[in-house]
């Protein structure tokens, strides 16, 4: 056993001996939660103001505390201030440094607070800020996809179902679909943010505070819409972390599906797109290789994002309410998800922005595999043939074309008449890729006009998301907070 915990630990009073080194090693979180220090400082400033209004901190003490925290915030930002080996967590480290710099005044700042409400507040603040940072890089990716899509609205390509050529589509349509998927993720972040805008501070360890504090004032100062309505719930609720991890995992899944398509498009077999040298890698043994590593890492990293979510859900399952030390396990998956997305998405954006598409190759593949058979069926339906029969007749055309080794538009008049009296040579007018695309005029469909309208709406949506991403979470946040 070590000596009784020194004056540095936050909880030594009732212990006769200090913690074992093994416990210290297990318990210590400052090596990863130090990144929350700016948020812990910010909430300490808000808390100090409330202590002052409650008559628990004199005006000159408040002024000294606010100035010391501004100084420490800058030192944390520059890396000058660091946690010490004996600091258990970020709260211990911040309190130790503030006492070093302020003397006894620094020791007053824990009144009415517990690490339980502190950590829940820090993590909410941190994730709300990071959600905007993630939204900002998603918006850049959406912009790259939209720019490429606008260039390729009139580029026909084979569209796939079951990874088999199905019907021709506009390649702008193909790219726009990914922008929609990410738009739903940004919508989720916005929705999540509104639910996360609740301040746990004032809950204390679990039952609130007897010191006449003002949780609503602290909440407003920290940019939260309200203070928590139930203090026991507030210190144990980590739904916001789990939900954040779900959105991060969903973004990861969307990145992985885009990544898989880039792998296919840039393969020799598809040949739809070429990777830029700066956004692809070579092989250490095969000099000719150009590999889509970014796309593959997008696919691969979705696995760890899903792991961050499922691992944390397992941590929460069966936990009794109020604080349990298990909850310390909320931070590493959350940090990992943030770090993963912030390093992955800009790379995917660069890869997408620099893809060079081979529109001739895509156009050549568009009608392949008798992909225009649906046009025959639709042509017949427009002439009052029931779709069930029209489907059969179009199928017979495919069979005849395959037997003769020709395309659908090569079938001669006699063959058409033989297949069905409902067919006549004017059916050939719809048997072109351009005609098939132009006909898909449903909003959201593949006609160039529809795709252009869709992209215009997407651009407006992306710009709205850009503004959301740029908006600050904490009103009048100090420089040492916003620089992160
Ligand atoms: N480091 C802890 C965490 O991250 C802070 C809360 C500790 N509370 C306690 N009662 N030991 O969860």
């Amino acid at each position: 056993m070590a000596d009784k915990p020194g004056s540095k630990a936050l909880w030594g009073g009732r212990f006769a001996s200090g913690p074992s080194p093994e416990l210290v090693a297990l318990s210590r979180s400052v090596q990863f939660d130090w990144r929350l220090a700016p948020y812990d400082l910010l909430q300490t400033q808000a808390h100090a103001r409330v202590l002052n209004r409650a008559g628990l901190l004199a005006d000159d003490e408040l002024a000294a505390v606010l100035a010391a925290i501004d100084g420490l915030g800058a030192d944390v930002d520059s890396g000058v201030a660091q946690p010490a080996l004996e600091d258990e967590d970020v709260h211990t480290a911040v309190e130790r440094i503030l006492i070093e710099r302020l003397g006894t005044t620094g020791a007053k700042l824990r009144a009415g607070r517990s690490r339980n409400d502190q950590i829940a507040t820090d993590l909410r603040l941190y994730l709300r800020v990071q959600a905007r940072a993630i939204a900002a890089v998603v918006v850049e990716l959406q912009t790259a996809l939209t720019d490429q899509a606008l260039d390729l609205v009139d580029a026909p390509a084979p569209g796939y179902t079951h990874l088999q050529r199905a019907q021709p589509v506009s390649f702008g349509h193909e790219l726009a679909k990914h922008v929609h998927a990410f738009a739903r993720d940004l919508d989720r972040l916005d929705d999540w943010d509104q639910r996360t805008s609740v301040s746990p501070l004032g809950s204390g360890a679990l039952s609130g505070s007897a010191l006449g504090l003002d949780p609503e004032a602290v909440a407003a100062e920290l940019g939260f819409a309200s203070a928590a309505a139930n203090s026991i719930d507030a210190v144990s609720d980590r739904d916001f972390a789990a939900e954040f991890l779900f959105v991060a995992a969903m973004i990861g899944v969307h990145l992985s599906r885009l990544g898989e398509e880039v792998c296919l498009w840039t393969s020799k077999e598809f040949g739809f797109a070429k990777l830029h040298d700066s956004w692809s890698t070579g092989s250490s043994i095969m000099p000719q290789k150009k590999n889509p590593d970014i796309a593959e890492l997008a696919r691969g990293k979705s696995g760890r994002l899903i792991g961050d979510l499922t691992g944390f859900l397992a941590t929460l399952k069966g936990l009794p309410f109020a604080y349990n030390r298990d909850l310390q396990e909320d931070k590493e998956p959350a940090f990992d998800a943030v770090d993963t997305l912030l390093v992955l998405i800009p790379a995917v954006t660069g890869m997408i922005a620099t893809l060079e598409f081979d529109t001739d190759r895509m156009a050549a593949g568009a009608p392949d595999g008798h992909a225009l058979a649906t046009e025959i069926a639709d042509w017949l339906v427009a002439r009052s043939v029931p779709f069930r029969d029209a489907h059969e007749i179009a199928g017979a055309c495919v069979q005849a074309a395959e037997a003769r080794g020709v395309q659908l538009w090569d079938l001669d008049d006699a063959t058409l008449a033989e297949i069905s009296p409902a067919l006549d040579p004017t059916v050939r007018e719809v048997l072109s890729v351009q005609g098939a695309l132009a006909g898909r005029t449903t909003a959201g469909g593949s006609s160039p006009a529809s795709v252009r309208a869709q992209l215009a709406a997407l651009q407006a949506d992306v710009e709205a998301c850009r503004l959301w991403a740029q908006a600050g979470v904490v009103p009048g946040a100090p420089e040492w907070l916003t620089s992160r």
Side-chain angles (χ1 to χ4, degrees), residues 58-398:
D59 289 350
D60 59 329
E61 289 179 312
L62 174 64
V65 166
L66 296 179
I69 289 179
D70 274 331
L72 179 52
D75 290 348
V76 168
D77 198 27
S78 68
V80 169
Q82 289 292 337
L85 213 59
E86 68 272 19
D87 291 331
E88 183 183 320
D89 57 20
V90 60
H91 322 293
T92 317
V94 163
E95 184 176 295
R96 175 183 57 77
I97 300 172
L98 285 178
I99 291 173
E100 281 166 13
R101 296 189 178 190
L102 282 164
T104 44
T105 306
K108 292 188 169 184
L109 298 170
R110 211 197 307 157
R113 269 196 307 178
S114 154
R115 284 185 289 170
N116 298 353
D117 58 350
Q118 268 183 271
I119 191 63
T121 305
D122 285 352
L123 193 62
R124 279 178 189 258
L125 279 172
Y126 168 82
L127 287 179
R128 291 190 68 208
V129 170
Q130 298 308 318
R132 309 253 170 180
I134 290 167
V137 292
V138 170
V139 160
E140 293 306 321
L141 172 56
Q142 288 181 302
T143 305
L145 284 162
T146 309
D147 287 348
Q148 289 278 24
L150 283 166
D151 279 350
L152 294 164
V153 171
D154 293 304
Y160 295 81
T161 66
H162 310 264
L163 207 51
Q164 308 286 329
R165 288 183 170 174
Q167 289 175 346
V169 293
S170 146
F171 205 75
H173 195 194
E174 288 281 13
L175 290 171
K177 76 199 177 198
H178 291 291
V179 185
H180 283 284
F182 292 118
R184 289 192 293 277
D185 292 328
L186 296 185
D187 192 46
R188 286 184 184 99
L189 281 181
D190 183 9
D191 177 58
W192 166 88
D193 186 62
Q194 291 172 42
R195 229 176 351 273
T196 304
S197 188
V198 175
S199 168
L201 215 61
S203 301
L206 78 164
S207 65
S209 166
L211 295 179
L213 306 178
D214 185 353
E216 286 296 344
V218 175
E221 192 174 327
L222 296 175
F224 289 111
S226 67
N230 180 313
S231 61
I232 307 175
D233 180 44
V235 291
S236 47
D237 171 23
R238 291 295 185 278
D239 293 9
F240 69 94
E243 274 192 74
F244 176 87
L245 288 171
F246 169 75
V247 181
M250 198 71 236
I251 294 173
V253 167
H254 288 147
L255 289 166
S256 81
R257 295 180 75 173
L258 172 61
E260 170 62 9
E261 293 199 346
V262 171
C263 289
L264 291 171
W265 296 336
T266 57
S267 68
K268 186 91 194 150
E269 285 69 17
F270 273 71
F272 289 180
K274 267 206 198 74
L275 293 159
H276 189 282
D277 280 2
S278 301
W279 303 92
S280 56
T281 55
S283 155
S284 54
I285 182 168
M286 297 164 285
Q288 85 286 6
K289 285 295 292 287
K290 200 166 170 183
N291 293 327
D293 285 28
I294 295 174
E296 293 170 284
L297 284 167
R299 232 172 29 194
K301 284 188 185 292
S302 64
R304 70 190 279 162
L305 290 163
I306 293 167
D308 288 334
L309 169 65
T310 55
F312 184 57
L313 285 174
T315 296
L316 287 181
K317 181 190 169 295
L319 268 194
F321 267 53
Y323 184 82
N324 300 273
R325 194 61 186 277
D326 317 42
L327 290 175
Q328 181 163 297
E329 293 296 312
D330 56 1
K331 281 168 281 300
E332 285 160 294
F335 296 166
D336 183 68
V338 168
D339 294 347
T340 299
L341 289 177
L342 290 181
V343 75
L344 173 59
I345 296 172
V348 174
T349 302
M351 172 185 70
I352 293 292
T354 54
L355 275 179
E356 229 181 87
F357 290 93
D358 184 342
T359 50
D360 290 341
R361 170 114 178 151
M362 295 192 297
D368 194 55
H370 306 298
L372 295 168
T374 313
E375 308 314 306
I376 299 178
D378 285 352
W379 183 88
L380 288 164
V381 166
R383 280 156 189 76
S384 305
V385 178
F387 186 78
R388 199 186 161 81
D389 302 329
H391 188 283
E392 287 288 312
I393 295 166
C397 291
V398 170

